[in-house]
Amino acid sequence: MSLFAAIRLPREILFGKGQRHVIATVAARHGQRALVCTDERFAATVAFAEIIAALKSASIAVLVHDRVQPDVPRDTVAVCVEEARDFAPDMVIGIGGGSCLDMAKCAALLISHGGLLQDYYSEFKVPGPTLPLIAVPTTAGTGSEVTPVAVISDPDRTMKVGISSPHLIAAAAICDPELTMTCPPGLTAIAGADALTHAVEAFTAARRGTDPSLPQQHVFIGKSALTDHFALLAIKLLGRSLEKACRAPADEDARADVMMGALAAGCAFGTAGTAAAHAVQYPVGALTHTAHGLGVATMLPYVMKYNRAAAAAEMTEIGLALGLDGKDRSTAEMADATIDEIGRLFAAIGITPTLARLGLPADKLDWTAEQALGIDRLIKNNPRPFDPAAMRGLIQAAYDGDLAACVM
């Protein structure tokens, strides 16, 4: 028997219009003292006030940390944890975008196990369970509500760093698409493109074998039948509704599709992992200070073109999930049509098409290629191997906007 798969998810995932109203009910099952992590913008909303009032009505004491910053600067986590020390929470609730959820994960980690955040960088460094986490996303993109990773920015490092452990997975993910209704089109586009990139890279990730010890040694283990299921669902939902959600922000059905797509993409890549588009974004983001979702989406068509020789069959399935007609098309033709459709969709929602237009300096292409190639956990997940020349060629093609140059 060769079928092999693994998946790690929250114990409870609740999705649908109005689900924010059950946060207090879910929280009451985990204790009576909640640290709530959010940002200043969401903390000023009526929805947040209603959530806090409901928690207090359920006899849950609340401490609000509402100063979460983008990309979670390392030292801000220590500030949050110190504020919560005397409060002694028995759960953490993250409400907001990916950074708010990642802050909640990191706070739960340090409150539970102490030490410095840098003690836990990389995979499987978290020694045991943390405080229960309830993750409530208000954007549809990162999938952090269901993933085992928290990403932070460390002032001692050029690139952002990750903490990856099954112990970081939320106890409950509560996803209410109504909370995304106020997201502006630009943020909706970047977050949704991030989610679509997660799904495509998870679905085209390398198969890493059937060694039973693989999931015990690595958090991200490549594609499998289970992750494929979630990835294709995400691609279908985002393909049919992301453009609509950007064009008509008040469309409730489109908003629900995009949020479910982001959730499903998180379920996929949280075990399968991502690949070269993410590897390139780390150094590009460090140099350009552009949004993560924008950078990975800029890279995705070029990475897909490079991977076409190794993953044409998977790209055909992606194309079908996007609604393309595969009749009378060869696998190669369908793969090319799929890449074109991804490019068309991203252009329609305003994704920057080249690394040059992202602001990557021309004299940093070699450094970018070197740094991307060194992110082994992502590069080894790519379906087609890289050597230094191939990575440098990919970076140049994405800088120039020359998709054809990715066929190496």
Side-chain angles (χ1 to χ4, degrees):
M1 183 174 68
S2 61
L3 189 62
F4 170 82
I7 202 156
R8 298 180 175 108
L9 296 173
R11 292 195 294 273
E12 186 172 25
I13 298 174
L14 301 172
F15 184 96
K17 181 177 180 179
Q19 284 292 341
R20 66 188 182 280
H21 298 305
V22 306
I23 293 172
T25 302
V26 173
R29 297 200 288 266
H30 294 285
Q32 294 181 308
R33 304 181 68 79
L35 168 64
V36 178
C37 298
T38 191
D39 57 24
E40 288 184 343
R41 185 202 68 82
F42 191 72
T45 65
V46 172
F48 183 76
E50 290 174 348
I51 291 168
I52 297 302
L55 289 167
K56 292 178 178 178
S57 293
S59 300
I60 297 171
V62 176
L63 175 65
V64 175
H65 177 85
D66 60 2
R67 300 186 306 283
V68 177
Q69 298 177 29
D71 300 324
V72 193
R74 181 197 67 196
D75 296 339
T76 65
V77 179
V79 171
C80 175
V81 170
E82 185 59 32
E83 289 177 356
R85 194 173 305 282
D86 291 339
F87 180 71
D90 44 30
M91 76 186 86
V92 182
I93 303 175
I95 309 177
S99 292
C100 293
L101 305 188
D102 286 355
M103 168 64 93
K105 290 178 180 180
C106 292
L109 165 59
L110 291 189
I111 291 169
S112 300
H113 297 292
L116 302 173
L117 207 56
Q118 49 266 45
D119 297 337
Y120 305 101
Y121 292 171
S122 191
E123 292 187 303
F124 281 113
K125 296 291 183 65
V126 180
T130 70
L131 288 179
L133 170 68
I134 298 172
V136 186
T138 63
T139 62
T142 70
S144 187
E145 64 271 17
V146 293
T147 67
V149 63
V151 178
I152 66 163
S153 52
D154 185 322
D156 298 326
R157 300 190 178 208
T158 303
M159 295 185 290
K160 289 188 289 187
V161 293
I163 301 171
S164 302
S165 168
H167 294 304
L168 293 185
I169 298 173
I174 300 177
C175 305
D176 184 340
E178 284 189 320
L179 293 178
T180 70
M181 296 294 288
T182 58
C183 284
L187 177 57
T188 300
I190 290 172
D194 188 19
L196 184 55
T197 304
H198 290 155
V200 170
E201 289 214 293
F203 191 71
T204 56
R207 292 191 186 275
R208 303 268 288 279
T210 60
D211 182 352
S213 66
L214 182 64
Q216 312 312 315
Q217 297 170 350
H218 298 282
V219 174
F220 304 111
I221 62 168
K223 72 187 266 103
S224 73
L226 289 176
T227 61
D228 283 355
H229 168 77
F230 286 109
L232 286 176
L233 173 61
I235 291 164
K236 176 183 177 181
L237 294 172
L238 291 162
R240 79 185 185 190
S241 290
L242 177 55
E243 187 175 350
K244 186 184 299 182
C246 295
R247 188 175 63 248
D251 188 317
E252 292 186 358
D253 291 337
R255 288 290 193 180
D257 272 3
V258 171
M259 190 174 217
M260 178 67 84
L263 169 69
C267 293
F269 92 86
T271 304
T274 53
H278 279 71
V280 173
Q281 162 55 19
Y282 274 95
V284 169
L287 291 172
T288 65
H289 305 290
T290 48
H292 168 82
L294 181 60
V296 296
T298 295
M299 283 304 304
L300 183 61
Y302 302 100
V303 170
M304 292 180 72
K305 197 73 169 182
Y306 176 82
N307 286 336
R308 175 183 171 280
E314 285 82 1
M315 291 182 193
T316 295
E317 291 190 69
I318 291 169
L320 294 173
L322 289 171
L324 298 182
D325 184 358
K327 186 178 180 181
D328 298 327
R329 281 176 167 170
S330 68
T331 299
E333 290 170 337
M334 192 63 180
D336 284 336
T338 299
I339 297 167
D340 290 343
E341 173 60 15
I342 294 285
R344 184 210 65 77
L345 172 58
F346 283 175
I349 63 174
I351 297 300
T352 306
T354 69
L355 292 180
R357 289 180 56 181
L358 274 184
L360 183 67
D363 62 355
K364 291 294 186 179
L365 301 190
D366 288 340
W367 182 86
T368 299
E370 178 184 345
Q371 295 300 311
L373 196 62
I375 306 177
D376 186 60
R377 66 181 174 83
L378 298 175
I379 294 302
K380 70 184 178 184
N381 220 28
N382 204 70
R384 184 182 173 193
F386 277 99
D387 59 21
M391 179 57 77
R392 181 60 175 79
L394 175 69
I395 300 297
Q396 187 69 58
Y399 184 85
D400 295 335
D402 187 358
L403 202 61
C406 298
V407 183
M408 305 171 195

